[in-house]
Amino acid sequence: MDTFYTDLLCVGAGLAGERVAVAAASQGFETICLSIVPPRRSHSSAAQGGMQASLGHCCMGEGDCPDVHFADTVKGSDWGCDQEVARMFAETAPIAVREMAFWGIPWNRVVAGKGTYYKGGKEYEKIEKKEKEGLITARDFGGTAKWRTCYTSDGTGHTLLFTMDNEVVRLGVTVHDRVEAIALIHDGETCMGVVARCLKTGKLRNYLAKATLIATGGYGRIYRETTNAVINDGSGAIIALDTGIVPIGNPEAVQFHPTGIVPTNILVTEGCRGDGGTLKDVNGERFMHIYEPGKQELASRDVVSRWMTHHIRLGKGVPSPYGPHLWLDIRHLGEKHIKTKLREVEEICNEFLGVDPITQMIPVRPAQHYSMGGVRTNKDGAAYGLKGLFSAGEAACWDMHGFNRLGGNSLAETIVAGKIVGEKIAEFLQGYEVDFKTAVVKDAVKKQEERIDRIIKGADGKENVYEVRNAMQDQLMDYVGIFRNGEDLKKAVDNLQVIYERSQKVGLRSYSLGANPELALALKIRGMVRMALCVAYAALQRTESRGAHAREDYPERNDRDWLKRTLATWKEGDSLPTLEYEKPSKVWEIPPGERGYGVAKIICTEDPEVCGEKKPETN
Amino acid sequence: MGRPLKFNIFRYNPEDPASVPHMESFHLEETDAMTLYIALNRIREEQDPTLMFDFMCRAGICGSCAMMINGRPDLACHTKTKALPAEINLMPLPVFKLIGDLSVDTGTWFRNMNERVRSYIHTDKVFDPNADEERMSNELADEIYELERCIECGCCVAACGKANMVPNFMGATAFNRVARFMMDPRDQRKTDDYFEIVATDDGIFGCLGLLGCEDVCPKDIPLQDQLGMLRRKMGWASVRHLFDKILPGGDAKKK
Ligand SMILES: Cc1cc2nc3c(=O)[nH]c(=O)nc-3n(C[C@H](O)[C@H](O)[C@H](O)COP(=O)(O)OP(=O)(O)OC[C@H]3O[C@@H](n4cnc5c(N)ncnc54)[C@H](O)[C@@H]3O)c2cc1C
Ligand code: SF4
Ligand code: SF4
Ligand code: FES
């Protein structure tokens, strides 16, 4: 069997994985990245809208600074985030954006003079200053006090990822694409690398590393309707969970994006609304201004998604063979704007819907979009529980997003966390030696070989892996969605436990040598159902509403009892995760208060550590 | 009832010594808004779980799913069955190494391409975290983005007669990448540096100029313009090199 040795192993070559790799490699550490797909195809490439950084160059961003960005992020998180991390993030984001410019991003720039923009369907005028001309500009995104989202047309993730991979090429970092990590190698204390499967040949390999990073992106594909790419099935979170030691932070914090297109759930960017697009109902009328007079279409995502669902429940949805939907209207932005600033949107609508957004409205509905939860790390990106294991990007719960991530804050997180965590890993590697214990490595490989063998032979049963997956996705979609309640969540947990049994009895329907796509999924399905159970069970336990976690039976945000982060681990042999809790933050620069949008019923905490001496002024 | 569709799909698994290349037919009833992404996944999940193909974003953004669709390279995910006849032939992209069935190894090819054209900004400046970014006109940013939109799908390479004959031929995607950096003021490379990279028979001088590439690019990248520009610039540079050789004391490198 092939064994590869390296200082740093990045499992994942999206923006986060590659940014970490660049940081370590530029300090001379040997680095290998693994990726299921060629790195430039990682899901980061699909991000359209942009990344937040408080440069404050454009006139609508004037006066912006890390303090304001920090405050927006904390409010967006519904006070679920780690404020120390959010602070570090907001301070570093402007540098990270400029560094990406230095590496070659063609950021859109400030054009001096008069211009128009739209808000709530109405046209306004703005004047950009001469002295700012040519600096990086920004667009408006939900939940922000200023225009702060830096962009390249609506292909921001694409340009970021291509530029990052250019750096990877420049530094000569090794990337093994079409290699999937299927288990961590560890002895209960130290992580030593991974067992991986080559998706070209089907053969197993060992990667032995002093430091291992999980940067595998989100796990949206445990839901049926998601904007995520088909490989976003959480395999990074799964291998962490499989250790029985490393916890998943806040698995129940799942974001739905307001504008997935119907029927395929492909995303059209928040930039549509940021640039002035409006949401309309079956009567062709706007409705967000009724529910959210202040931020209207640009309240945070959790809030907009809930009002859309609420409006559809009132019977105001547009009937279609795929269920009711609403309209996104960007026609008034005009052909020129759409053809330059919303190109991908135009292409997606034309090619996948046969809708021309210049003259027609776009059918949309909220779809699963982002996993705030993930491998729990400290502020340096070191995973809880195992020495030498790190995580960054969407796969991690570094926790600057808490219970709701702001649009544009995720691309920014990948770059910023990648930079910070990468530097911390380089520090960690300095003089660090690890004993790759032969017995541990052998044992880890043997376990995987036996598992594969049993699945191929159908030794544990003949369950069809696709049917098991579909059953799991339906449970989450139907019972652990935008609005949640105890009864539904209980149903989901019960049903998922039955599905979990089935997932352990999956057997292949046909045997083929090589990559074998059915086997690739079969190896993950048990872990996917475990993740689904973490989401559903943690959601059932959390008897409050916070950010994206909205309980109909517990509508208030309960800071008294629930100002805490869920930590889910999975003990071998159990049929449910073990849940523990910790305080979300050690630092409370901004004590819990109202967000300024969304319904704010708050049960206050009196913990002096959290709110200082004075009580928050809300109740 | 939708149309009955017949898919003739190339099958071959190089990892299996018993496998021989052949075509296999599958049947599906067409559904509303069906794309090849939906169709192929249904075939795999309902009929033959060993079928190999690649999808990622399923939104025409990531470039994973290019294949020969009735003889023409295109992205499978954005191809609607409605736009095709009832009999659909699917083959893997030529030029790239076959992994199995419709899946090819574009990753290795493109990493190699990126290394060959040194696809990154060359500069002797050092990043200053405390300074404002260098200014750029928005117009230029838009122009660079236009060329930056290549998703490395490989359609242009598959459609290129030259690339099909000469394995080492760089292909339109590489020329486009070079053009992108030539246009970028942050990159300090001079014409002669690019000359070394592309002015060969495997490069722009080997290009037949028939533009099979531009016709198939799913991102509508203006390849024709880039190829023309490169040919002109490199043509001039080679004339200059010739003069430098003939005239004593000439040294193109210093220009
Ligand atoms: C449609 C869409 C649009 C978005 N738009 C925006 C936006 O405008 N602004 C914003 O801020 N955010 C946006 N986001 C969110 C943002 O794009 C992502 O959160 C972010 O790019 C994730 O980056 P990442 O590096 O963590 O993971 P990814 O880019 O998903 O990369 C994951 C990597 O891990 C690899 N991998 C996975 N599992 C394994 C394994 N087991 N073994 C080996 N490799 C593995 C994959 O191959 C890949 O290389 C959007 C998300 C979506 C879905
Ligand atoms: S014009 Fe050149 S690159 Fe394009 S298809 Fe013809 S030979 Fe290939
Ligand atoms: S230039 Fe066009 S066809 Fe060629 S790889 Fe890029 S996107 Fe694909
Ligand atoms: S799957 Fe990404 S382009 Fe087709």
Side-chain angles (χ1 to χ4, degrees):
Chain A
M1 181 184 311
D2 289 336
T3 301
F4 300 85
Y5 293 88
T6 182
D7 292 328
L8 168 62
L9 178 73
C10 294
V11 182
L15 278 173
E18 289 206 330
R19 184 63 188 84
V20 169
V22 164
S26 45
Q27 299 208 26
F29 291 105
E30 204 183 317
T31 303
I32 301 178
C33 296
L34 307 184
S35 176
I36 295 178
V37 293
R40 294 178 188 220
R41 311 210 190 292
S42 299
H43 198 46
S44 292
S45 68
Q48 302 164 353
M51 85 178 251
Q52 285 202 45
S54 56
L55 296 172
H57 294 322
C58 67
C59 63
M60 302 298 287
E62 230 168 80
D64 202 7
C65 63
D67 290 341
V68 186
H69 189 183
F70 167 73
D72 284 344
T73 302
V74 173
K75 282 180 202 161
S77 81
D78 223 352
W79 277 269
C81 73
D82 181 328
Q83 297 200 14
E84 223 179 331
V85 168
R87 172 51 82 178
M88 205 159 59
F89 160 77
E91 298 286 344
T92 313
I95 299 169
V97 159
R98 282 199 230 102
E99 187 170 45
M100 292 309 297
F102 182 77
W103 286 337
I105 300 282
W107 294 115
N108 277 88
R109 303 291 175 137
V110 175
V111 180
K114 248 190 223 169
T116 55
Y117 69 95
Y118 287 87
K119 198 170 180 180
K122 280 202 220 90
E123 195 175 313
Y124 297 87
E125 194 171 90
K126 66 179 173 69
I127 301 173
E128 296 288 357
K129 289 198 176 125
K130 186 77 195 152
E131 69 258 29
K132 297 288 185 190
E133 182 150 61
L135 294 172
I136 297 170
T137 191
R139 59 167 37 132
D140 201 6
F141 251 38
T144 65
K146 304 274 178 189
W147 289 25
R148 186 188 297 130
T149 305
C150 308
Y151 62 98
T152 52
S153 182
D154 58 354
T156 315
H158 171 87
T159 55
L160 281 170
L161 187 58
F162 270 52
T163 300
M164 196 66 85
D165 197 55
N166 285 344
E167 274 302 292
V168 162
V169 169
R170 185 176 73 82
L171 293 166
V173 175
T174 306
V175 180
H176 290 173
D177 75 300
R178 293 189 190 254
V179 174
E180 177 164 25
I182 59 170
L184 290 172
I185 303 173
H186 69 96
D187 60 3
E189 279 164 19
T190 308
C191 179
M192 301 167 211
V194 305
V195 180
R197 190 167 168 269
C198 172
L199 300 177
K200 292 176 191 166
T201 63
K203 294 200 174 72
L204 292 189
R205 308 169 162 187
N206 282 327
Y207 287 87
L208 299 183
K210 293 180 190 166
T212 304
L213 173 88
I214 296 179
T216 49
Y219 44 84
R221 283 276 157 180
I222 59 177
Y223 278 80
R224 186 181 66 226
E225 288 171 18
T226 171
T227 62
N228 285 194
V230 299
I231 65 164
N232 286 19
D233 38 28
S235 49
I238 291 170
I239 59 178
L241 202 58
D242 282 351
T243 62
I245 305 165
V246 180
I248 303 299
N250 283 344
E252 70 272 38
V254 177
Q255 178 174 81
F256 283 72
H257 194 291
T259 56
I261 61 173
V262 181
T264 51
N265 304 305
I266 297 172
L267 182 86
V268 290
T269 173
E270 181 155 326
C272 290
R273 280 171 295 128
D275 292 0
T278 53
L279 292 167
K280 293 184 171 168
D281 62 16
V282 65
N283 303 318
E285 282 167 10
R286 288 184 61 217
F287 53 90
M288 275 310 298
H289 62 294
I290 304 170
Y291 301 123
E292 292 291 332
K295 295 240 88 181
Q296 307 185 9
E297 271 85 354
L298 283 177
S300 66
R301 289 180 178 171
D302 55 327
V303 172
V304 178
S305 293
R306 277 198 292 278
W307 287 128
M308 288 170 75
T309 309
H310 172 79
H311 206 64
I312 290 175
R313 283 182 179 177
L314 293 182
K316 298 285 185 70
V318 184
S320 88
Y322 304 98
H325 63 76
L326 295 158
W327 298 114
L328 172 65
D329 190 358
I330 59 171
R331 293 173 298 182
H332 53 285
L333 304 184
E335 182 166 350
K336 176 155 178 257
H337 185 97
I338 293 171
K339 281 193 180 287
T340 55
K341 298 240 155 66
L342 298 168
R343 288 184 68 150
E344 301 298 329
V345 170
E346 194 209 0
E347 214 173 279
I348 286 168
C349 291
N350 275 298
E351 289 182 6
F352 294 89
L353 290 173
V355 163
D356 175 8
I358 297 170
T359 57
Q360 291 168 292
M361 294 195 286
I362 310 165
V364 294
R365 180 168 64 205
Q368 191 287 342
H369 182 59
Y370 188 81
S371 322
M372 273 80 72
V375 178
R376 177 67 187 135
T377 71
N378 68 12
K379 65 180 181 194
D380 297 341
Y384 284 20
L386 283 180
K387 191 172 177 195
L389 182 65
F390 297 80
S391 185
E394 190 170 343
C397 180
W398 190 38
D399 222 2
M400 52 167 280
H401 304 304
F403 275 78
N404 176 64
R405 151 176 94 84
L406 294 181
N409 253 359
S410 171
L411 284 181
E413 176 186 17
T414 62
I415 310 281
V416 172
K419 187 177 165 72
I420 293 172
V421 173
E423 280 158 16
K424 288 292 172 190
I425 291 177
E427 264 172 43
F428 169 85
L429 284 171
Q430 211 70 52
Y432 176 71
E433 288 304 328
V434 58
D435 173 18
F436 299 124
K437 297 177 189 154
T438 325
V440 174
V441 178
K442 267 200 182 142
D443 187 53
V445 174
K446 194 158 148 256
K447 246 192 188 155
Q448 296 310 314
E449 282 171 344
E450 281 172 7
R451 225 177 111 207
I452 290 172
D453 197 49
R454 295 186 77 81
I455 292 175
I456 288 175
K457 291 204 182 104
D460 301 306
K462 271 289 181 189
E463 283 284 354
N464 176 328
V465 67
Y466 297 110
E467 284 170 11
V468 174
R469 181 202 61 194
N470 293 349
M472 166 196 70
Q473 289 176 333
D474 287 346
Q475 290 303 314
L476 287 186
M477 208 64 217
D478 296 345
Y479 303 125
V480 199
I482 295 179
F483 285 108
R484 302 166 173 183
N485 63 65
E487 201 180 311
D488 282 355
L489 290 170
K490 181 83 184 44
K491 223 183 281 175
V493 170
D494 290 347
N495 294 342
L496 281 168
Q497 281 182 289
V498 176
I499 295 167
Y500 181 60
E501 287 293 308
R502 290 175 61 194
S503 75
Q504 309 199 58
K505 295 185 187 138
V506 161
L508 296 196
R509 279 176 299 156
S510 62
Y511 175 54
S512 81
L513 294 163
N516 194 343
E518 190 189 15
L519 177 59
L521 182 60
L523 280 170
K524 275 181 282 208
I525 189 69
R526 183 188 68 183
M528 288 173 78
V529 183
R530 283 182 179 178
M531 278 306 295
L533 267 164
C534 287
V535 174
Y537 189 57
L540 174 63
Q541 299 307 316
R542 186 174 282 276
T543 46
E544 66 154 354
S545 293
R546 185 181 297 276
H549 173 73
R551 287 281 298 253
E552 290 163 310
D553 43 355
Y554 296 93
E556 59 291 320
R557 189 182 89 203
N558 185 343
D559 289 340
R560 189 189 59 210
D561 305 319
W562 284 104
L563 196 58
K564 48 194 186 186
R565 177 182 300 112
T566 307
L567 297 175
T569 49
W570 197 288
K571 311 275 179 259
E572 203 52 52
D574 285 1
S575 63
L576 276 178
T578 304
L579 302 186
E580 282 161 300
Y581 296 91
E582 65 175 4
K583 268 201 185 147
S585 191
K586 291 196 189 85
V587 175
W588 296 91
E589 233 186 286
I590 309 181
E594 276 184 33
R595 304 169 91 186
Y597 45 78
V599 191
K601 271 182 251 155
I602 301 171
I603 299 174
C604 292
T605 172
E606 288 176 11
D607 183 348
E609 204 185 299
V610 172
C611 38
E613 291 313 308
K614 69 172 173 33
K615 281 214 266 173
E617 62 262 40
T618 53
N619 56 42
Chain B
M1 263 271 302
R3 279 192 304 171
L5 298 178
K6 183 179 178 196
F7 294 86
N8 305 315
I9 299 178
F10 176 84
R11 303 300 307 269
Y12 176 49
N13 181 358
E15 290 297 316
D16 182 354
S19 171
V20 282
H22 64 286
M23 298 298 286
E24 187 175 352
S25 298
F26 297 91
H27 299 267
L28 277 183
E29 187 190 317
E30 190 169 39
T31 52
D32 219 26
M34 185 185 248
T35 59
L36 289 182
Y37 163 71
I38 295 170
L40 283 169
N41 273 295
R42 269 189 58 195
I43 292 175
R44 173 146 91 196
E45 291 179 18
E46 294 163 16
Q47 302 184 29
D48 186 345
T50 66
L51 183 62
M52 286 182 264
F53 50 75
D54 295 315
F55 288 101
M56 238 299 285
C57 69
R58 55 82 174 89
I61 294 172
C62 76
S64 294
C65 63
M67 56 182 72
M68 302 299 283
I69 302 163
N70 285 340
R72 187 178 186 278
D74 202 349
L75 301 177
C77 70
H78 79 178
T79 301
K80 293 190 267 298
T81 52
K82 211 170 67 187
L84 299 170
E87 187 157 347
I88 299 165
N89 299 317
L90 301 177
M91 301 281 290
L93 286 189
V95 184
F96 301 95
K97 184 166 179 251
L98 183 77
I99 291 174
D101 301 338
L102 299 173
S103 172
V104 295
D105 184 357
T106 51
T108 306
W109 196 97
F110 275 99
R111 170 77 185 224
N112 182 39
M113 183 281 273
N114 281 307
E115 286 173 1
R116 258 173 109 182
V117 306
R118 291 186 228 127
S119 169
Y120 42 85
I121 299 276
H122 290 55
T123 180
D124 53 21
K125 291 188 186 156
V126 181
F127 174 65
D128 177 358
N130 300 313
D132 268 347
E133 61 278 10
E134 264 180 46
R135 292 177 194 239
M136 179 185 276
S137 78
N138 191 54
E139 218 176 351
L140 179 59
D142 276 341
E143 279 169 30
I144 296 173
Y145 175 65
E146 180 72 20
L147 305 192
E148 181 98 358
R149 290 176 75 244
C150 167
I151 55 174
E152 299 194 347
C153 65
C155 285
C156 59
V157 180
C160 171
K162 185 76 181 215
N164 274 277
M165 287 181 307
V166 181
N168 215 26
F169 184 63
M170 293 180 113
T173 172
F175 302 147
N176 175 67
R177 188 62 53 79
V178 170
R180 178 247 175 272
F181 283 102
M182 286 176 82
M183 166 190 281
D184 195 324
R186 291 168 292 196
D187 197 314
Q188 296 171 342
R189 277 180 284 186
K190 300 268 182 315
T191 305
D192 277 332
D193 300 311
Y194 295 113
F195 187 86
E196 267 174 41
I197 295 172
V198 290
T200 66
D201 284 345
D202 287 337
I204 192 70
F205 291 159
C207 165
L208 307 172
L210 299 176
L211 295 174
C213 48
E214 170 150 312
D215 292 343
V216 299
C217 175
K219 288 281 147 183
D220 295 325
I221 311 251
L223 295 173
Q224 179 173 2
D225 301 349
Q226 309 320 316
L227 266 48
M229 183 277 291
L230 266 190
R231 209 176 288 122
R232 265 194 321 279
K233 282 216 165 143
M234 294 305 139
W236 277 114
S238 75
V239 171
R240 217 178 57 226
H241 283 206
L242 206 66
F243 270 108
D244 285 347
K245 265 192 212 147
I246 302 166
L247 302 174
D251 187 358
K253 284 266 150 86
K254 286 198 183 131
K255 296 269 154 64

